[in-house]
Amino acid sequence: MISVLEAQRILDENVPPADRRNVPIDDAFGSYLSEDIKAPEASPRYTNSAMDGYAVRWRDCAGATPDAPAVLKIIGESQAGVPFDGEVAEHSAVRISTGAMVPDGADTVVRVEDTREADGLVSILTVKREGQDVRSKGEEFAEGQLLFLKGTCVAARELALMAAVGIHTIPVYGKPVVYLLVTGTELVCHDEDSIKPHQIRDSNTIMLTGAIRECGAFLMATSHVQDSLAQTVAAIGEAVDSGAKIIVCSGGVSVGRHDHVREAAKQAGFAELFWQIRQKPGKPLYAGRKENTLIFGLPGNPVSAYMCFRNFVRPVLAKLQGTRYFDRTLTTVVAEQMSNRGNRTLFVRVKIENRPNQLALLKEVGRQGSHMLSSIAHADGYIVLQPGEILQPGSLKEVSLF
Ligand code: AMP
Ligand code: MG
C-alpha cells in the first residue's frame, strides 16, 4: 500500500498532455484559457457620457450657480448609437445620453438634474469640475493590457469582458474526454421501477456523471457491465477505442472473486500505476496507464467512489485543463473529540455549524460507513486525520468544503 500523497504524485507525473484549441466565444463557457489574453483595443473605445445631460465646455459654465446660471445654446443631440455631427462651439451645448459619444469641443457633461431647458437654451445651474461625468477613452484599460492569465476559467464575467473588446475566438484547453464504466451484477438502473430484494440501485453512475461535469470534463459515454472478466475486458477496449483520455471504472477493484477491473485493464494493455492506498475510505483504489490514456478503478462503495474521485481523479482532470484544483477550506473549532486510531489516512465527513462572530463549530457526521451515502450527502465537507491524530474539543481544524 502507498500513501495518499505518493499516489497523487504518481498520478501528477502521469497526466497526459493537455489539448489546446481555439474555440468560438459562444462555445467557450466553462473552459480554461490556454494563453494569456490581452486587450485588442482600449476601453472605453471612445470618450462618452456617464449621464443623461448636456455636453458643454468647462470654460463656458465654470462657477455657474442656480442664481447666476450659465446659459448655453442647444445646437444638437448626441444619442447612444447616433453621434452629434459637429463641434461644440463657444456658449453652446449638445444634449447627450448615457454612453453617447462626447462631441468634439466638449470636455464636460452636466447631468439633466443640474440644468433647466427652455426655448432652445439650457441653463447650467451648477457644475463641479472640468471633465465631470465624462468617461475618457482608455480610462479602464489601454490596448495591449493583460486582461486574463492563462489557466483562468471562462464563465459569465470573463466572457462578457472578452465580448466587449471584440474577441471572437478564445484559446482554451480542450475539455478532457471521460468514459465511465460501471461494474456490478447486483446493479439496476437508478430509474428502474422494479427492483428485486437482492439488487441495489446504481447510484454511482449519476453521482460520477455529476462529479465529472463539475470538473468541466466531457462525459462521452457511460456503460454498465456485469461482474464478468470477458465483459469488462471488452468494455475497457471499447473505452480505449472511443478516444477517451480518462476511463473511470466503478466497482470490481477489490480482492473478491468477482472483482475483475485490474485484470481486465491489464489484459487491455494498461500498466498498473498503483493499487491500494493507505486511506479510509477508498483503500482499493487502482490506476493504470496505456500510452496517453489513464484508467481509474474506483471502489464500488459509493462514499469511497466519491472521495477517491475528489482526491485522485479531479486533480488529473484539472491538470488536463491547465489548472490546479484546491478545495476551499474553512478554519473551524472542534466540538467533540475526534481521533484516528487506525493506520491509514482517514477522511472524516463533517458538518459545520456557523455561529455569529465566532469560528464555525465542527462536528462529525454520525454514521461514517463507506456504503452510507448520507455521510457525504448530509456533510458540508471533510477533514483529514493522519494515523494517531487526536483532536481535542476547542482545537482548530481546517475543513475541506464539498
Ligand atoms: P465493489 O467495489 O464492486 O465490491 O462494490 C462494493 C459495494 O458497493 C457493494 O456493496 C456494491 O453493491 C456497492 N456498489 C458497487 N457499485 C455500485 C453502484 N454503481 N452504485 C451503488 N452501489 C454500488
Ligand atoms: Mg462489484
Side-chain angles (χ1 to χ4, degrees):
M1 268 197 274
I2 59 171
S3 71
V4 170
L5 287 179
E6 177 71 354
Q8 286 170 334
R9 186 190 60 74
I10 293 171
L11 285 171
D12 193 58
E13 284 169 2
N14 281 280
V15 175
D19 290 333
R20 294 156 185 249
R21 58 191 59 173
N22 292 316
V23 297
I25 186 168
D26 288 300
D27 298 338
F29 182 90
S31 297
Y32 291 80
L33 295 174
S34 61
E35 291 172 23
D36 293 348
I37 300 287
K38 291 191 174 144
E41 60 184 38
S43 177
R45 249 177 51 249
Y46 56 85
T47 298
N48 67 83
S49 174
M51 289 285 171
D52 292 319
Y54 296 85
V56 300
R57 295 152 34 110
W58 165 252
R59 73 187 92 107
D60 291 343
C61 50
T65 64
D67 293 335
V71 180
L72 308 173
K73 186 175 174 219
I74 300 168
I75 58 167
E77 179 173 10
S78 178
Q79 197 187 328
V82 189
F84 175 68
D85 184 19
E87 199 172 321
V88 176
E90 232 179 311
H91 300 300
S92 59
V94 160
R95 276 190 208 100
I96 196 161
S97 35
T98 305
M101 208 172 221
V102 173
D104 287 346
D107 54 18
T108 300
V109 167
V110 182
R111 57 183 189 154
V112 174
E113 295 89 326
D114 293 337
T115 66
R116 210 164 37 224
E117 188 187 315
D119 306 326
L121 299 174
V122 59
S123 299
I124 307 296
L125 307 179
T126 172
V127 55
K128 285 198 199 71
R129 58 176 184 84
E130 185 173 2
Q132 74 176 26
D133 289 327
V134 170
R135 303 163 170 170
S136 303
K137 175 178 175 174
E139 72 174 16
E140 186 183 3
F141 50 78
E143 180 186 331
Q145 186 176 312
L146 180 66
L147 294 184
F148 297 111
L149 286 171
K150 173 179 165 172
T152 301
C153 185
V154 176
R157 294 169 296 124
E158 294 77 12
L159 286 169
L161 180 51
M162 288 191 268
V165 295
I167 296 173
H168 303 141
T169 306
I170 303 185
V172 295
Y173 291 100
K175 299 197 171 200
V177 179
V178 181
Y179 193 106
L180 179 58
L181 174 57
V182 174
T183 74
T185 302
E186 75 279 31
L187 301 177
V188 293
C189 189
H190 62 275
D191 61 3
E192 180 67 50
D193 281 334
S194 61
I195 184 163
K196 300 197 177 83
H198 53 274
Q199 293 181 318
I200 66 156
R201 293 188 187 89
D202 170 12
S203 53
N204 285 354
T205 296
I206 199 161
M207 175 178 75
L208 294 169
T209 298
I212 288 163
R213 292 196 176 133
E214 280 172 8
C215 296
F218 173 68
L219 179 62
M220 62 134 30
T222 303
S223 68
H224 169 226
V225 293
Q226 309 288 308
D227 292 313
S228 134
L229 178 59
Q231 271 191 35
T232 311
V233 175
I236 292 176
E238 264 174 45
V240 172
D241 293 343
S242 76
K245 246 187 196 161
I246 305 293
I247 303 170
V248 176
C249 303
S250 152
V253 77
S254 195
V255 294
R257 289 183 56 222
H258 303 288
D259 292 331
H260 301 299
V261 167
R262 271 177 82 214
E263 177 59 25
K266 190 175 163 193
Q267 291 190 19
F270 283 85
E272 187 160 301
L273 294 175
F274 57 74
W275 177 53
Q276 296 191 328
I277 313 294
R278 220 177 298 123
Q279 63 176 1
K280 189 179 174 184
K283 176 177 146 191
L285 178 67
Y286 158 85
R289 177 177 180 167
K290 179 181 183 180
E291 291 156 16
N292 279 335
T293 306
L294 289 185
I295 190 166
F296 289 91
L298 309 182
N301 270 313
V303 175
S304 313
Y306 184 74
M307 294 305 292
C308 285
F309 183 91
R310 267 189 95 84
N311 289 327
F312 300 93
V313 184
R314 192 176 53 181
V316 170
L317 295 178
K319 194 171 180 187
L320 278 169
Q321 296 173 87
T323 184
R324 296 217 155 247
Y325 184 86
F326 296 102
D327 279 320
R328 284 171 199 265
T329 59
L330 188 71
T331 304
T332 58
V333 181
V334 174
E336 57 230 358
Q337 197 192 72
M338 288 186 228
S339 60
N340 178 1
R341 301 187 190 283
N343 57 4
R344 293 183 268 159
T345 299
L346 198 58
F347 296 106
V348 183
R349 278 83 67 209
V350 296
K351 280 199 81 64
I352 53 176
E353 196 181 300
N354 287 310
R355 304 178 293 178
N357 304 318
Q358 289 181 78
L359 290 177
L361 209 57
L362 173 70
K363 289 181 178 166
E364 199 167 328
V365 168
R367 297 183 180 277
Q368 295 273 331
S370 61
H371 56 301
M372 296 176 174
L373 266 172
S374 59
S375 79
I376 48 174
H378 295 165
D380 297 308
Y382 65 93
I383 58 168
V384 183
L385 288 184
Q386 297 301 350
E389 194 174 341
I390 300 172
L391 296 180
Q392 297 300 352
S395 58
L396 300 184
K397 186 69 179 173
E398 291 291 301
V399 175
S400 296
L401 298 172
F402 281 150

CSV table of all heavy atoms in Angstrom, one decimal, residues 347-392:
chain,number,residue,atom,x,y,z
A,347,PHE,N,-10.4,10.1,6.1
A,347,PHE,CA,-11.2,11.3,5.6
A,347,PHE,C,-12.6,11.2,6.3
A,347,PHE,O,-13.4,10.4,6.0
A,347,PHE,CB,-11.4,11.2,4.1
A,347,PHE,CG,-10.2,11.3,3.3
A,347,PHE,CD1,-9.6,10.1,2.7
A,347,PHE,CD2,-9.5,12.5,3.2
A,347,PHE,CE1,-8.4,10.2,2.0
A,347,PHE,CE2,-8.3,12.6,2.4
A,347,PHE,CZ,-7.8,11.4,1.9
A,348,VAL,N,-12.7,12.1,7.3
A,348,VAL,CA,-13.9,12.1,8.2
A,348,VAL,C,-14.9,13.1,7.6
A,348,VAL,O,-14.5,14.3,7.5
A,348,VAL,CB,-13.5,12.4,9.6
A,348,VAL,CG1,-14.8,12.4,10.5
A,348,VAL,CG2,-12.4,11.5,10.1
A,349,ARG,N,-16.1,12.7,7.3
A,349,ARG,CA,-17.1,13.6,6.8
A,349,ARG,C,-17.7,14.4,8.0
A,349,ARG,O,-18.0,13.8,9.0
A,349,ARG,CB,-18.2,12.9,6.0
A,349,ARG,CG,-17.8,12.6,4.6
A,349,ARG,CD,-16.9,11.4,4.4
A,349,ARG,NE,-17.7,10.2,4.7
A,349,ARG,CZ,-17.2,9.1,5.2
A,349,ARG,NH1,-15.9,9.0,5.5
A,349,ARG,NH2,-18.0,8.0,5.5
A,350,VAL,N,-17.8,15.7,7.8
A,350,VAL,CA,-18.2,16.6,8.9
A,350,VAL,C,-19.3,17.5,8.5
A,350,VAL,O,-19.5,17.8,7.4
A,350,VAL,CB,-17.0,17.4,9.4
A,350,VAL,CG1,-15.9,16.4,10.0
A,350,VAL,CG2,-16.4,18.2,8.3
A,351,LYS,N,-19.9,18.0,9.6
A,351,LYS,CA,-20.9,19.1,9.4
A,351,LYS,C,-20.3,20.4,10.1
A,351,LYS,O,-19.6,20.2,11.1
A,351,LYS,CB,-22.2,18.8,10.1
A,351,LYS,CG,-23.1,17.9,9.2
A,351,LYS,CD,-24.6,18.0,9.6
A,351,LYS,CE,-25.3,19.2,9.1
A,351,LYS,NZ,-25.4,19.2,7.6
A,352,ILE,N,-20.6,21.5,9.6
A,352,ILE,CA,-20.2,22.7,10.3
A,352,ILE,C,-21.4,23.5,10.7
A,352,ILE,O,-22.4,23.6,10.0
A,352,ILE,CB,-19.2,23.6,9.5
A,352,ILE,CG1,-19.8,23.9,8.1
A,352,ILE,CG2,-17.8,22.9,9.3
A,352,ILE,CD1,-18.9,24.8,7.3
A,353,GLU,N,-21.2,24.1,11.9
A,353,GLU,CA,-22.4,24.9,12.4
A,353,GLU,C,-21.9,26.4,12.4
A,353,GLU,O,-21.0,26.7,13.2
A,353,GLU,CB,-22.7,24.4,13.8
A,353,GLU,CG,-24.0,24.8,14.3
A,353,GLU,CD,-24.2,24.2,15.7
A,353,GLU,OE1,-24.2,23.0,15.9
A,353,GLU,OE2,-24.3,25.0,16.7
A,354,ASN,N,-22.4,27.2,11.6
A,354,ASN,CA,-22.0,28.6,11.6
A,354,ASN,C,-22.6,29.3,12.8
A,354,ASN,O,-23.7,29.1,13.2
A,354,ASN,CB,-22.5,29.3,10.3
A,354,ASN,CG,-21.7,28.9,9.1
A,354,ASN,OD1,-20.4,28.9,9.2
A,354,ASN,ND2,-22.3,28.4,8.1
A,355,ARG,N,-21.7,30.2,13.4
A,355,ARG,CA,-22.2,31.0,14.6
A,355,ARG,C,-21.8,32.4,14.4
A,355,ARG,O,-20.8,32.7,13.9
A,355,ARG,CB,-21.5,30.4,15.9
A,355,ARG,CG,-21.6,29.0,16.1
A,355,ARG,CD,-20.9,28.5,17.3
A,355,ARG,NE,-19.4,28.6,17.1
A,355,ARG,CZ,-18.6,28.2,18.1
A,355,ARG,NH1,-19.0,27.8,19.2
A,355,ARG,NH2,-17.3,28.3,17.8
A,356,PRO,N,-22.7,33.4,14.9
A,356,PRO,CA,-22.3,34.8,14.7
A,356,PRO,C,-21.1,35.2,15.4
A,356,PRO,O,-20.9,34.8,16.6
A,356,PRO,CB,-23.6,35.5,15.2
A,356,PRO,CG,-24.4,34.5,15.9
A,356,PRO,CD,-24.0,33.2,15.5
A,357,ASN,N,-20.2,35.9,14.8
A,357,ASN,CA,-18.9,36.4,15.4
A,357,ASN,C,-18.0,35.4,16.0
A,357,ASN,O,-17.3,35.7,16.9
A,357,ASN,CB,-19.3,37.5,16.4
A,357,ASN,CG,-20.1,38.6,15.7
A,357,ASN,OD1,-19.8,39.0,14.6
A,357,ASN,ND2,-21.2,39.0,16.4
A,358,GLN,N,-18.2,34.1,15.6
A,358,GLN,CA,-17.2,33.1,16.2
A,358,GLN,C,-16.9,32.2,15.0
A,358,GLN,O,-17.6,32.1,14.1
A,358,GLN,CB,-18.0,32.3,17.2
A,358,GLN,CG,-18.2,33.0,18.5
A,358,GLN,CD,-18.9,32.0,19.5
A,358,GLN,OE1,-18.3,31.2,20.1
A,358,GLN,NE2,-20.2,32.1,19.6
A,359,LEU,N,-15.8,31.4,15.2
A,359,LEU,CA,-15.5,30.4,14.2
A,359,LEU,C,-16.6,29.4,14.2
A,359,LEU,O,-17.2,29.1,15.3
A,359,LEU,CB,-14.1,29.8,14.5
A,359,LEU,CG,-12.9,30.7,14.3
A,359,LEU,CD1,-11.7,29.9,14.7
A,359,LEU,CD2,-12.8,31.1,12.9
A,360,ALA,N,-16.8,28.8,13.0
A,360,ALA,CA,-17.9,27.7,12.9
A,360,ALA,C,-17.4,26.5,13.8
A,360,ALA,O,-16.3,26.3,14.0
A,360,ALA,CB,-18.0,27.3,11.5
A,361,LEU,N,-18.4,25.8,14.2
A,361,LEU,CA,-18.2,24.6,15.1
A,361,LEU,C,-18.2,23.4,14.2
A,361,LEU,O,-19.0,23.2,13.2
A,361,LEU,CB,-19.4,24.5,16.0
A,361,LEU,CG,-19.2,23.8,17.4
A,361,LEU,CD1,-18.1,24.5,18.1
A,361,LEU,CD2,-20.5,23.9,18.2
A,362,LEU,N,-17.3,22.4,14.4
A,362,LEU,CA,-17.1,21.3,13.6
A,362,LEU,C,-17.6,20.0,14.3
A,362,LEU,O,-17.3,19.8,15.5
A,362,LEU,CB,-15.6,21.1,13.4
A,362,LEU,CG,-15.1,19.8,12.7
A,362,LEU,CD1,-15.5,19.9,11.2
A,362,LEU,CD2,-13.6,19.7,12.8
A,363,LYS,N,-18.5,19.3,13.6
A,363,LYS,CA,-19.0,18.0,14.2
A,363,LYS,C,-18.9,16.9,13.2
A,363,LYS,O,-19.1,17.1,12.0
A,363,LYS,CB,-20.5,18.2,14.6
A,363,LYS,CG,-20.6,19.1,15.8
A,363,LYS,CD,-22.1,19.2,16.2
A,363,LYS,CE,-22.2,20.1,17.4
A,363,LYS,NZ,-23.6,20.5,17.7
A,364,GLU,N,-18.6,15.7,13.7
A,364,GLU,CA,-18.6,14.5,12.8
A,364,GLU,C,-20.0,14.2,12.3
A,364,GLU,O,-20.9,14.2,13.1
A,364,GLU,CB,-18.0,13.4,13.6
A,364,GLU,CG,-17.4,12.3,12.8
A,364,GLU,CD,-16.5,11.3,13.7
A,364,GLU,OE1,-15.9,11.8,14.7
A,364,GLU,OE2,-16.5,10.2,13.4
A,365,VAL,N,-20.1,13.7,11.1
A,365,VAL,CA,-21.4,13.2,10.6
A,365,VAL,C,-21.5,11.8,11.3
A,365,VAL,O,-20.6,11.0,11.4
A,365,VAL,CB,-21.4,13.0,9.1
A,365,VAL,CG1,-22.6,12.2,8.7
A,365,VAL,CG2,-21.4,14.4,8.4
A,366,GLY,N,-22.7,11.6,11.9
A,366,GLY,CA,-22.9,10.4,12.7
A,366,GLY,C,-22.4,9.1,12.1
A,366,GLY,O,-21.4,8.5,12.7
A,367,ARG,N,-22.9,8.6,11.0
A,367,ARG,CA,-22.5,7.3,10.5
A,367,ARG,C,-21.6,7.5,9.4
A,367,ARG,O,-21.9,8.1,8.4
A,367,ARG,CB,-23.8,6.5,10.2
A,367,ARG,CG,-24.6,6.2,11.4
A,367,ARG,CD,-25.8,5.4,11.1
A,367,ARG,NE,-26.6,5.2,12.3
A,367,ARG,CZ,-26.3,4.3,13.2
A,367,ARG,NH1,-25.4,3.4,13.0
A,367,ARG,NH2,-27.1,4.2,14.3
A,368,GLN,N,-20.4,6.9,9.5
A,368,GLN,CA,-19.3,7.1,8.5
A,368,GLN,C,-19.1,5.9,7.6
A,368,GLN,O,-18.1,5.9,6.9
A,368,GLN,CB,-18.0,7.4,9.3
A,368,GLN,CG,-18.1,8.7,10.1
A,368,GLN,CD,-17.7,9.9,9.3
A,368,GLN,OE1,-16.9,9.8,8.3
A,368,GLN,NE2,-18.2,11.1,9.7
A,369,GLY,N,-19.9,4.9,7.5
A,369,GLY,CA,-19.7,3.8,6.7
A,369,GLY,C,-19.5,4.2,5.2
A,369,GLY,O,-20.2,5.1,4.7
A,370,SER,N,-18.6,3.4,4.5
A,370,SER,CA,-18.3,3.8,3.1
A,370,SER,C,-19.5,3.4,2.2
A,370,SER,O,-19.5,3.8,1.1
A,370,SER,CB,-17.0,3.1,2.7
A,370,SER,OG,-17.2,1.8,2.7
A,371,HIS,N,-20.5,2.7,2.8
A,371,HIS,CA,-21.7,2.4,2.0
A,371,HIS,C,-22.8,3.4,2.3
A,371,HIS,O,-23.9,3.2,1.8
A,371,HIS,CB,-22.1,0.9,2.3
A,371,HIS,CG,-22.4,0.7,3.8
A,371,HIS,ND1,-21.4,0.9,4.7
A,371,HIS,CD2,-23.5,0.3,4.4
A,371,HIS,CE1,-21.9,0.6,5.9
A,371,HIS,NE2,-23.2,0.3,5.8
A,372,MET,N,-22.6,4.3,3.2
A,372,MET,CA,-23.6,5.2,3.7
A,372,MET,C,-23.6,6.5,3.0
A,372,MET,O,-22.8,7.4,3.4
A,372,MET,CB,-23.5,5.4,5.2
A,372,MET,CG,-23.7,4.1,6.0
A,372,MET,SD,-23.4,4.4,7.7
A,372,MET,CE,-23.8,2.8,8.4
A,373,LEU,N,-24.3,6.7,1.9
A,373,LEU,CA,-24.3,7.9,1.1
A,373,LEU,C,-24.7,9.1,1.9
A,373,LEU,O,-24.2,10.2,1.6
A,373,LEU,CB,-25.2,7.7,-0.1
A,373,LEU,CG,-24.6,7.2,-1.4
A,373,LEU,CD1,-25.6,7.0,-2.4
A,373,LEU,CD2,-23.5,8.2,-1.9
A,374,SER,N,-25.5,8.9,3.0
A,374,SER,CA,-25.9,10.1,3.7
A,374,SER,C,-24.7,10.8,4.4
A,374,SER,O,-24.7,12.0,4.6
A,374,SER,CB,-26.9,9.7,4.8
A,374,SER,OG,-26.3,8.8,5.7
A,375,SER,N,-23.6,10.0,4.5
A,375,SER,CA,-22.4,10.6,5.2
A,375,SER,C,-21.7,11.6,4.3
A,375,SER,O,-20.9,12.5,4.7
A,375,SER,CB,-21.4,9.5,5.6
A,375,SER,OG,-20.6,9.1,4.5
A,376,ILE,N,-22.0,11.6,3.0
A,376,ILE,CA,-21.5,12.7,2.1
A,376,ILE,C,-22.6,13.6,1.8
A,376,ILE,O,-22.5,14.8,1.7
A,376,ILE,CB,-20.7,12.2,0.8
A,376,ILE,CG1,-21.5,11.2,0.1
A,376,ILE,CG2,-19.3,11.8,1.2
A,376,ILE,CD1,-20.9,10.8,-1.3
A,377,ALA,N,-23.8,13.1,1.6
A,377,ALA,CA,-24.9,13.9,1.1
A,377,ALA,C,-25.3,14.9,2.2
A,377,ALA,O,-25.7,16.0,1.9
A,377,ALA,CB,-26.1,13.0,0.7
A,378,HIS,N,-25.2,14.5,3.5
A,378,HIS,CA,-25.5,15.4,4.6
A,378,HIS,C,-24.3,16.2,5.2
A,378,HIS,O,-24.5,16.9,6.2
A,378,HIS,CB,-26.2,14.6,5.7
A,378,HIS,CG,-27.5,14.1,5.3
A,378,HIS,ND1,-28.2,13.1,6.0
A,378,HIS,CD2,-28.3,14.3,4.2
A,378,HIS,CE1,-29.3,12.8,5.4
A,378,HIS,NE2,-29.4,13.5,4.3
A,379,ALA,N,-23.2,16.0,4.6
A,379,ALA,CA,-22.0,16.6,5.1
A,379,ALA,C,-21.7,18.0,4.4
A,379,ALA,O,-22.1,18.1,3.3
A,379,ALA,CB,-20.8,15.7,5.0
A,380,ASP,N,-21.0,18.8,5.1
A,380,ASP,CA,-20.6,20.1,4.5
A,380,ASP,C,-19.2,19.9,3.9
A,380,ASP,O,-18.7,20.8,3.1
A,380,ASP,CB,-20.6,21.2,5.5
A,380,ASP,CG,-21.9,21.5,6.1
A,380,ASP,OD1,-22.9,21.7,5.3
A,380,ASP,OD2,-22.1,21.5,7.3
A,381,GLY,N,-18.4,18.9,4.4
A,381,GLY,CA,-17.1,18.7,3.9
A,381,GLY,C,-16.4,17.6,4.7
A,381,GLY,O,-17.1,16.8,5.2
A,382,TYR,N,-15.1,17.6,4.6
A,382,TYR,CA,-14.4,16.5,5.4
A,382,TYR,C,-13.1,17.1,5.9
A,382,TYR,O,-12.6,18.1,5.5
A,382,TYR,CB,-14.1,15.3,4.4
A,382,TYR,CG,-13.2,15.7,3.3
A,382,TYR,CD1,-11.8,15.4,3.4
A,382,TYR,CD2,-13.6,16.2,2.1
A,382,TYR,CE1,-10.9,15.8,2.4
A,382,TYR,CE2,-12.8,16.5,1.1
A,382,TYR,CZ,-11.4,16.3,1.3
A,382,TYR,OH,-10.5,16.6,0.3
A,383,ILE,N,-12.6,16.3,6.9
A,383,ILE,CA,-11.3,16.7,7.5
A,383,ILE,C,-10.4,15.5,7.3
A,383,ILE,O,-10.9,14.3,7.1
A,383,ILE,CB,-11.4,17.0,9.0
A,383,ILE,CG1,-11.9,15.9,9.8
A,383,ILE,CG2,-12.1,18.3,9.2
A,383,ILE,CD1,-11.8,16.0,11.3
A,384,VAL,N,-9.1,15.7,7.3
A,384,VAL,CA,-8.1,14.6,7.1
A,384,VAL,C,-7.5,14.4,8.5
A,384,VAL,O,-7.0,15.3,9.1
A,384,VAL,CB,-7.0,15.1,6.1
A,384,VAL,CG1,-6.1,13.9,5.9
A,384,VAL,CG2,-7.7,15.5,4.8
A,385,LEU,N,-7.6,13.1,8.9
A,385,LEU,CA,-6.9,12.8,10.2
A,385,LEU,C,-5.8,11.7,9.9
A,385,LEU,O,-6.1,10.6,9.3
A,385,LEU,CB,-7.9,12.2,11.2
A,385,LEU,CG,-8.9,13.1,11.8
A,385,LEU,CD1,-9.7,12.3,12.9
A,385,LEU,CD2,-8.2,14.3,12.5
A,386,GLN,N,-4.6,12.0,10.2
A,386,GLN,CA,-3.5,11.1,10.0
A,386,GLN,C,-3.5,10.0,11.1
A,386,GLN,O,-4.0,10.3,12.2
A,386,GLN,CB,-2.2,11.8,9.9
A,386,GLN,CG,-2.0,12.8,8.8
A,386,GLN,CD,-2.2,12.1,7.4
A,386,GLN,OE1,-2.3,10.9,7.2
A,386,GLN,NE2,-2.4,13.0,6.4
A,387,PRO,N,-2.9,8.9,10.9
A,387,PRO,CA,-2.8,7.8,12.0
A,387,PRO,C,-2.3,8.4,13.3
A,387,PRO,O,-1.3,9.1,13.3
A,387,PRO,CB,-1.9,6.8,11.4
A,387,PRO,CG,-2.0,6.9,9.9
A,387,PRO,CD,-2.2,8.4,9.7
A,388,GLY,N,-3.0,8.1,14.4
A,388,GLY,CA,-2.6,8.6,15.7
A,388,GLY,C,-3.1,10.0,16.0
A,388,GLY,O,-2.9,10.5,17.2
A,389,GLU,N,-3.6,10.7,15.1
A,389,GLU,CA,-4.0,12.1,15.3
A,389,GLU,C,-5.3,12.2,16.2
A,389,GLU,O,-6.3,11.4,16.0
A,389,GLU,CB,-4.3,12.8,14.0
A,389,GLU,CG,-4.4,14.3,14.1
A,389,GLU,CD,-4.5,15.0,12.7
A,389,GLU,OE1,-4.2,14.4,11.7
A,389,GLU,OE2,-4.9,16.2,12.7
A,390,ILE,N,-5.2,13.0,17.2
A,390,ILE,CA,-6.4,13.2,18.1
A,390,ILE,C,-6.7,14.7,18.2
A,390,ILE,O,-5.8,15.5,18.4
A,390,ILE,CB,-6.0,12.7,19.6
A,390,ILE,CG1,-5.7,11.2,19.5
A,390,ILE,CG2,-7.2,12.9,20.5
A,390,ILE,CD1,-5.2,10.7,20.9
A,391,LEU,N,-8.0,15.0,17.9
A,391,LEU,CA,-8.4,16.4,18.0
A,391,LEU,C,-9.2,16.6,19.3
A,391,LEU,O,-10.2,15.9,19.5
A,391,LEU,CB,-9.3,16.7,16.8
A,391,LEU,CG,-8.7,16.7,15.4
A,391,LEU,CD1,-9.7,17.1,14.4
A,391,LEU,CD2,-7.5,17.6,15.4
A,392,GLN,N,-8.7,17.5,20.1
A,392,GLN,CA,-9.4,17.8,21.4
A,392,GLN,C,-10.5,18.8,21.2
A,392,GLN,O,-10.3,19.7,20.3
A,392,GLN,CB,-8.4,18.3,22.5
A,392,GLN,CG,-7.4,17.2,22.9
A,392,GLN,CD,-7.9,15.9,23.4
A,392,GLN,OE1,-9.1,15.8,23.7
A,392,GLN,NE2,-7.0,14.9,23.6
